[in-house]
Amino acid sequence: MGNYLAGHENGSGNYPPIFATGLRFLLASPVLIIIAKLSKKPLLFPEGKRGFQVALTVFYFAIPFTLMIYGEQSVSSGMASILFSTMPAAIVISSYFFLKQRITLLQSTGVVIATLALGFIIYNESGTVEIESWRGVLAILIAVAMHAIIYVKCKRQCSEVSILTYNALPCLGASLLLLSCAVFSERIDFHVINVDSFLSVAYLGIVSGVLGIMAYFQLQQRATPFYASLVYFIFPLIAVSLEDIVRKHRISTSSLWMIMPLLLGIFFVLFPLWRSSLKKSQLSTSND
C-alpha cells in the first residue's frame, strides 16, 4: 500500500483526477477479465444480484478511487496511508449499522482512541507539505467510508462471489464511466502527458492494482484474519518511511508518536475479531 499510494502521487501528477482514475481502470480491466476467463470464473454476478454489481462499479471503484487521487493532490502519500489505516474501524462501525453486529467495549474504546489520535495528527500536520488542504483529507476519509460500507454490503449479500468477478467488469465499467465524465468535466491537456507519467499510471493499474488485489485476497483466503489484517499496521509505517527516504518529507515528531496510539486503537478494534476467529479455528480443528 505504501508503494501504491506513492505511485498515485507520481502517476497522477499530469492527469486530472477523474481521467487518471478512468485510465488506470481501463488498463487494469483487460488483465482482470483474461485472468477470470482463464480461471473459469463468471464475469457477471448471480441473477438477482447484478444490480449490486452496478453499485459496486460506482461506489467501490469509480467514486472512491477518484476521491483518492483528488485527495493526494493536497495530501502526501504517507499521510494518506495513515488515513487508510482506519479502515478496520470504519468496517466495524459500518457492520454495526448495516449488519447489526454488536460492538464490544474494547472496540468502542479502540474507535475513540484511533479517532482522537488521527484528529491530532490531522490538526498537527495541517498547513504543512503533509496536508496542504483539508479537502484532500475529507476526500480520502469519504473514500475509506465508502469502501467500508461496500465491503460490509458484499459480506452480507455476495460472500460467495469470486474476487475476480467482483473486480473484472466493475473495473471496466468504472473506466468507461469515468473517462466519459472526464471528457465533459475536465481539461485534459495531452501535451503535458509524458511517457513517465503514463507508465506510472500503467503501473498503478496493471501491476499495483491487479497484483495487489490478487495478493491481498489470496492472503485473506490462505492466512488467518490476524495475519491478513496486519497490513493495516504495516502499510502506514512503510509509506511514511518511503516518503522520508525518497521524498525527504518527514512528518513532525509529535505526529510520529501519535501513530502509536492510532495503531493501538486499531488493535483494540481488531482484537475481538482475531479472538473470535481463533476460537472458530480451534473448534473446527477439534471437530476434525
Side-chain angles (χ1 to χ4, degrees):
M1 179 62 78
N3 288 331
Y4 170 79
L5 290 168
H8 252 313
E9 206 168 2
N10 288 332
S12 60
N14 293 333
Y15 298 82
I18 298 176
F19 177 76
T21 310
L23 181 60
R24 178 205 154 183
F25 288 149
L26 184 65
L27 294 169
S29 56
V31 180
L32 289 167
I33 291 171
I34 290 170
I35 295 173
K37 284 293 186 181
L38 292 175
S39 304
K40 298 182 179 180
K41 300 295 183 182
L43 293 178
L44 292 173
F45 275 35
E47 290 188 17
K49 296 182 178 179
R50 290 173 184 171
F52 184 72
Q53 191 172 20
V54 176
L56 196 71
T57 299
V58 177
F59 297 107
Y60 189 86
F61 285 95
I63 297 177
F65 283 94
T66 301
L67 289 172
M68 287 182 217
I69 291 185
Y70 172 79
E72 289 215 3
Q73 292 179 346
S74 57
V75 175
S76 72
S77 58
M79 184 57 59
S81 70
I82 291 173
L83 295 172
F84 261 90
S85 71
T86 60
M87 182 69 77
I91 290 174
V92 166
I93 294 170
S94 299
S95 298
Y96 173 77
F97 285 107
F98 293 100
L99 301 182
K100 305 302 179 184
Q101 288 187 354
R102 186 175 67 90
I103 299 179
T104 67
L105 178 61
L106 184 63
Q107 287 177 317
S108 299
T109 303
V111 169
V112 171
I113 292 173
T115 301
L116 291 175
L118 183 64
F120 176 88
I121 293 171
I122 292 172
Y123 176 80
N124 202 40
E125 298 300 322
S126 294
T128 69
V129 292
E130 298 296 324
I131 300 177
E132 296 177 2
S133 170
W134 62 268
R135 292 182 181 87
V137 173
L138 182 61
I140 293 172
L141 290 178
I142 292 174
V144 170
M146 293 179 73
H147 272 183
I149 291 170
I150 292 295
Y151 176 87
V152 169
K153 291 283 189 179
C154 288
K155 187 177 179 181
R156 183 176 69 178
Q157 298 183 21
C158 306
S159 58
E160 76 285 358
V161 176
S162 164
I163 186 57
L164 288 169
T165 307
Y166 265 118
N167 284 272
L169 284 187
C171 193
L172 176 61
S175 71
L176 298 177
L177 176 64
L178 290 170
L179 290 174
S180 299
C181 291
V183 169
F184 295 101
S185 63
E186 293 182 326
R187 284 187 173 183
I188 306 170
D189 187 357
F190 291 98
H191 295 291
V192 301
I193 297 175
N194 55 47
V195 175
D196 288 340
S197 63
F198 180 82
L199 290 177
S200 294
V201 173
Y203 167 81
L204 280 174
I206 299 173
V207 180
S208 182
V210 175
L211 296 184
I213 287 168
M214 301 305 298
Y216 178 66
F217 282 96
Q218 282 295 315
L219 178 65
Q220 283 191 319
Q221 290 176 355
R222 297 178 182 273
T224 64
F226 173 80
Y227 291 111
S229 56
L230 283 178
V231 66
Y232 293 109
F233 293 89
I234 295 172
F235 76 66
L237 303 177
I238 292 176
V240 169
S241 300
L242 281 175
E243 193 170 54
D244 183 20
I245 295 170
V246 176
R247 300 185 176 279
K248 307 301 181 184
H249 291 174
R250 178 178 295 180
I251 67 174
S252 65
T253 303
S254 55
S255 294
L256 275 175
W257 280 109
M258 290 305 294
I259 292 177
M260 299 309 297
L262 172 66
L263 297 181
L264 178 65
I266 301 302
F267 175 82
F268 286 167
V269 169
L270 289 169
F271 183 76
L273 305 178
W274 293 336
R275 185 171 56 185
S276 174
S277 175
L278 180 62
K279 287 182 179 179
K280 287 180 182 179
S281 178
Q282 290 174 339
L283 183 62
S284 175
T285 302
S286 63
N287 289 337
D288 292 341

